[in-house]
Amino acid sequence: MDELIRRQRAFAAARDWEQFHTPKNLAMALAGEAGELLAEFQWLTPEESVTVMDDPDAGHRVRSEAADVFLYLTRLADVLGIDLVQAANDKLDEGERRYDAATYRGSARKAPPLS
């Protein structure tokens, strides 16, 4: 992850793009790319969505859009000083507290907010 972040910083610096990589712009770009990823699934059935990577063309598009989402997210986190791995682990810890396996196994219901 650290190497990817260093590569992104160098990529942006070589093109003098840091000036455009504000949190607002990166968040907007991330949302746009997430929309492009979503569009790849828009008219698929649930069954087709599970096997989308079996189609070489569709799989390539999904992989490319997923990479765009990941890259914008990691760049945004870097600009804001967020350690994404730590933040993800913290979020999983919170999920484990909110959704104990015995109560929520097989259920899609939301847990009440932590107090």
Side-chain angles (χ1 to χ4, degrees):
M1 189 73 156
D2 291 338
E3 178 56 30
L4 176 64
I5 291 168
R6 279 191 292 277
R7 232 181 124 190
Q8 282 184 295
R9 285 180 191 156
F11 183 87
R15 290 154 182 82
D16 191 27
W17 286 354
E18 297 103 327
Q19 61 185 316
F20 308 116
H21 287 187
T22 64
K24 177 198 75 76
N25 288 354
L26 291 166
M28 290 175 67
L30 173 59
E33 293 299 338
E36 290 180 21
L37 177 60
L38 179 61
E40 292 298 327
F41 291 91
Q42 185 171 8
W43 302 114
L44 301 181
T45 66
E47 296 77 20
E48 290 169 331
S49 73
V50 172
T51 61
V52 71
M53 297 305 290
D54 295 343
D55 177 299
D57 292 332
H60 173 76
R61 291 190 308 272
V62 167
R63 183 177 188 272
S64 179
E65 297 304 339
D68 286 342
V69 169
F70 183 69
L71 289 168
Y72 274 115
L73 179 59
T74 56
R75 183 71 177 135
L76 175 62
D78 183 39
V79 166
L80 291 173
I82 297 169
D83 178 334
L84 274 179
V85 173
Q86 184 61 56
N89 278 305
D90 292 346
K91 194 67 174 183
L92 283 170
D93 291 344
E94 179 184 324
E96 287 174 344
R97 286 190 301 276
R98 289 185 68 198
Y99 296 97
D100 68 278
T103 304
Y104 288 93
R105 184 172 181 81
S107 172
R109 73 180 191 273
K110 291 282 282 179
L114 289 175
S115 46

